[in-house]
Amino acid sequence: MSNMKKEMANYAADINRASNDENIQKALGRAVASYRKNVTEALERYPHTLEMAEEVKAIKLKALDNWQPLMEEAMEAIRRNHGQAYFAKDGAECIQKIHEIIGPRREIVKGKSMLGEEIHLRQELAALGHDVWETDLGEFILQLNDERPMHILSPAIHMPREQVAEVFSKFFGREIAPEVAEEVAAVREFLREKYFTADVGISGANAVAAETGQIAIIENEGNVRLCTGVPPIHIAVVGIEKLVPSFIDAMKVCEVNWRFGQYGAPGYLNVISGPSKTGDIEKVTTYGAHGPREFHVIFVDNGRSDMIADPRYKEAALCLRCGGCMYECPVFALTAGHFGHTYMGGIGGIWTAFVEKDKEEAAPVLYNCLRCGRCIERCPMKIDVPSMTAQLREDVMKKYE
């Protein structure tokens, strides 16, 4: 059997199992209803968001055309801010650079990052001897259960509170009731010490302002603020598609992102320019105050430049990772993230074809997409996933003619 046939067969078996999983149906039913209600209310309260989304699309399209000079500008600004900046062609280079920066056997606390999932950041660093803890609640649940994320923003969306209670009770060695507040409290208590004993904090970023070298990170839990503000070293891993020219551009990207991610306003918007510093004694700027002494940003390509360079697929790089398309997708509603790999849903098929080492993983995802267009209606960037899916099906099949 060819690799393609094996991939198709394995994927079909997995997605069929998922479509009959009662936990997924229960959890997704609750989540989809909540998401639609929250986004509708947010857009009604902040109607300017739709016009801003059009502006952000124009900003990002121009930025994609100029990602290399923008990255060089950002790297120069980061260094000017007493940080360090690097470029990694692929995931392996990124992992190696992190290992070089931090040295052997470090304790690491990590915020949620889709790029991190893409390059298997936690697993690869663990294999190098590091002790890595996911701090996002959903990611922490999946780390304990040895699973991958099933949604971009809500990685444990497929697990109802009853199942989460079973996972936690086993890990903590005591009975955790299937009550969300009690489950959250248990994780808070466990991770609190980790933030203050960790040697390194790792994060992603939602946008990077090239002009000033500032990175912006949206969150709600406060874990990213602790990951990036407490350990002595902070490392941000960022896809090249996150670059925009100015700080104002970055803020517009963030506002559109969180609004379509179902929040009127997020719990936190972290803006980081460099390592902590103070000038309170004789106005002499000294680095390494209460926060990190070191700030490192690694810009990662890993197939993105190929996507951007191809006019047929370039707009896929506009994806803000708001996750809205998935809540509208009929296939995702039945199967959660089993419809995809690292990146899920219709847009996930496009991304998989460019960023995964095994490009054949994209094929079954592409043929699961119904091309119904519901994702376009929800997408703030109006990415034409159905058309790209049809084109990519043709491209993939040409390899096997």
Side-chain angles (χ1 to χ4, degrees):
M1 185 183 289
S2 68
N3 286 340
M4 172 69 81
K5 288 182 179 179
K6 287 181 181 177
E7 186 65 38
M8 286 284 196
N10 292 338
Y11 181 82
D14 181 54
I15 204 165
N16 282 331
R17 281 194 300 270
S19 66
N20 292 299
D21 189 316
E22 292 183 3
N23 281 326
I24 289 177
Q25 308 311 314
K26 184 189 299 182
L28 263 292
R30 294 169 180 171
V32 170
S34 178
Y35 171 83
R36 289 176 177 170
K37 175 178 177 290
N38 292 340
V39 171
T40 298
E41 290 178 355
L43 294 179
E44 287 176 352
R45 188 175 300 114
Y46 305 101
H48 69 276
T49 306
L50 297 176
E51 186 175 338
M52 184 179 285
E54 295 177 4
E55 184 181 357
V56 165
K57 181 174 183 177
I59 290 168
K60 286 186 66 69
L61 278 172
K62 187 174 181 180
L64 291 176
D65 287 335
N66 297 282
W67 73 265
Q68 288 178 297
L70 284 174
M71 183 180 70
E72 291 169 4
E73 183 181 5
M75 294 173 81
E76 181 181 348
I78 290 165
R79 291 167 185 148
R80 192 168 56 244
N81 296 338
H82 286 256
Q84 296 296 323
Y86 320 85
F87 172 69
K89 182 62 179 176
D90 56 26
E93 279 190 19
C94 180
I95 300 295
Q96 183 58 37
K97 178 55 64 177
I98 293 173
H99 188 55
E100 290 172 5
I101 292 168
I102 67 178
R105 303 190 65 82
R106 299 297 187 186
E107 184 170 44
I108 301 168
V109 285
K110 175 183 168 293
K112 182 168 59 185
S113 163
M114 286 308 300
L115 174 55
E117 293 294 333
E118 176 187 319
I119 64 176
H120 309 292
L121 181 60
R122 170 168 54 81
Q123 295 87 342
E124 293 293 333
L125 289 176
L128 290 170
H130 301 291
D131 189 12
V132 188
W133 288 100
E134 299 285 359
T135 63
D136 173 82
L137 178 61
E139 293 277 7
F140 179 77
I141 294 167
L142 298 183
Q143 180 177 0
L144 299 189
N145 214 36
D146 194 25
E147 288 189 57
R148 65 177 179 84
M150 288 288 141
H151 188 274
I152 287 178
L153 288 190
S154 304
I157 193 172
H158 62 299
M159 295 176 67
R161 64 177 73 94
E162 295 84 357
Q163 189 178 4
V164 172
E166 293 176 8
V167 173
F168 283 0
S169 296
K170 180 179 179 180
F171 177 74
F172 293 118
R174 59 186 173 89
E175 188 67 24
I176 304 293
E179 300 294 335
V180 175
E182 185 172 337
E183 292 167 342
V184 172
V187 176
R188 175 189 172 94
E189 179 183 357
F190 175 79
L191 286 178
R192 209 70 183 171
E193 180 186 4
K194 301 296 183 186
Y195 295 118
F196 292 93
T197 59
D199 303 294
V200 183
I202 296 180
S203 75
N206 294 100
V208 180
E211 183 179 49
T212 56
Q214 293 167 294
I215 71 170
I217 312 170
I218 304 166
E219 63 158 331
N220 285 295
E221 295 178 18
N223 63 303
V224 172
R225 181 155 291 193
L226 289 164
C227 286
T228 61
V230 177
I233 300 173
H234 170 208
I235 302 173
V237 292
V238 187
I240 57 175
E241 81 281 6
K242 300 295 180 66
L243 287 153
V244 291
S246 73
F247 178 72
I248 296 301
D249 293 334
M251 292 299 97
K252 289 177 180 178
V253 170
C254 288
E255 182 172 358
V256 171
N257 191 334
W258 73 56
R259 204 63 43 72
F260 278 83
Q262 76 164 325
Y263 298 104
Y268 302 91
L269 173 61
N270 303 292
V271 178
I272 301 170
S273 306
S276 63
K277 59 185 177 181
T278 179
D280 283 357
I281 301 176
E282 298 182 358
K283 300 308 295 179
V284 176
T285 302
T286 303
Y287 292 86
H290 295 292
R293 295 190 298 269
E294 297 180 27
F295 175 58
H296 303 264
V297 180
I298 304 174
F299 292 100
V300 183
D301 183 343
N302 204 43
R304 287 161 172 76
S305 60
D306 292 336
M307 181 192 299
I308 293 167
D310 192 326
R312 300 172 301 168
Y313 305 113
K314 173 184 171 183
E315 289 198 6
L318 293 173
C319 179
L320 300 182
R321 308 282 193 267
C322 70
C325 59
M326 297 175 194
Y327 292 109
E328 297 300 329
C329 174
V331 180
F332 186 87
L334 289 174
T335 64
H338 293 275
F339 176 22
H341 297 285
T342 299
Y343 296 104
M344 297 149 252
I347 188 70
I350 312 302
W351 270 79
T352 298
F354 284 92
V355 305
E356 295 292 340
K357 290 181 181 178
D358 184 359
K359 308 299 185 186
E360 291 178 342
E361 288 187 359
V365 183
L366 294 170
Y367 282 92
N368 252 149
C369 177
L370 301 180
R371 299 183 62 229
C372 63
R374 286 173 62 176
C375 54
I376 303 177
E377 296 302 312
R378 178 60 73 183
C379 178
M381 299 292 96
K382 302 301 180 188
I383 300 171
D384 190 353
V385 171
S387 293
M388 283 189 282
T389 297
Q391 180 62 59
L392 197 50
R393 286 177 183 174
E394 184 178 331
D395 290 352
V396 170
M397 286 301 105
K398 281 180 181 176
K399 298 178 183 179
Y400 298 93
E401 289 179 352

